[in-house]
Amino acid sequence: APPAAAEGMPGRVTVTSALARQEIKRSLYSRARRAQQRLWVATAYFVPSRKLLRALKSAAHQGVDVRLLLPGPYTDHPAIRHAGRRFYSLLLRHGVRIFEYQPRFLHAKTLLCDQWVSIGSSNFDRWNLRWNLEANQEVDDPGFAGSVRAMFEADLKVSIEIDKEQWQRRRWITRLREHLWGRVDLWLENLGRRRVKWK
């Protein structure tokens, strides 16, 4: 769709509607591939698809400042947090910076890519991006992006950055939770694929 001006800022609304419309996901991957300076993601639930993992790693390899702002100890779905944390080691090895928000429940769904912003109802996990009905507002404007960057920076100051070496020394019970809930996640993903075939 052509961009529409809101107070002089070009933007558009993108939608995900199960497998029928995948605008949010396509826009995310397209912008991630073209990122030059920064790719910052805030999401309440982080269980990335293989394609999203590749996009994050590729951007980091190209020198882009890639950061993930994810839930800390306060979350309404601890199982999803454990399942998503199993990807930390891989991302850290490839230069992605990971922060866990500490003060309260994180419910932000925001993507900042250079001067482009996507903000709305969609978390950046494979279930939201594939199955849910979601809508995001995209804005391509340096002034608006600067405001969003300031919001990110304020949240990062009250977050804990995951250190790669310390993460490798995490407790066995943490690893066990990641493994068990990761298995559940894979089972649900396979169930979703079979559901598509049945249709």
Side-chain angles (χ1 to χ4, degrees), residues 178-194:
E178 294 167 21
H179 174 75
L180 292 177
W181 288 113
R183 299 291 294 179
V184 173
D185 169 54
L186 290 173
W187 177 78
L188 291 172
E189 177 69 7
N190 290 330
L191 184 65
R193 290 198 185 103
R194 287 199 293 270

Side-chain angles (χ1 to χ4, degrees), residues 81-94:
R81 179 175 180 240
H82 294 312
R85 291 176 110 204
R86 76 186 193 273
F87 299 103
Y88 282 15
S89 293
L90 173 67
L91 291 168
L92 290 167
R93 285 200 306 270
H94 288 273

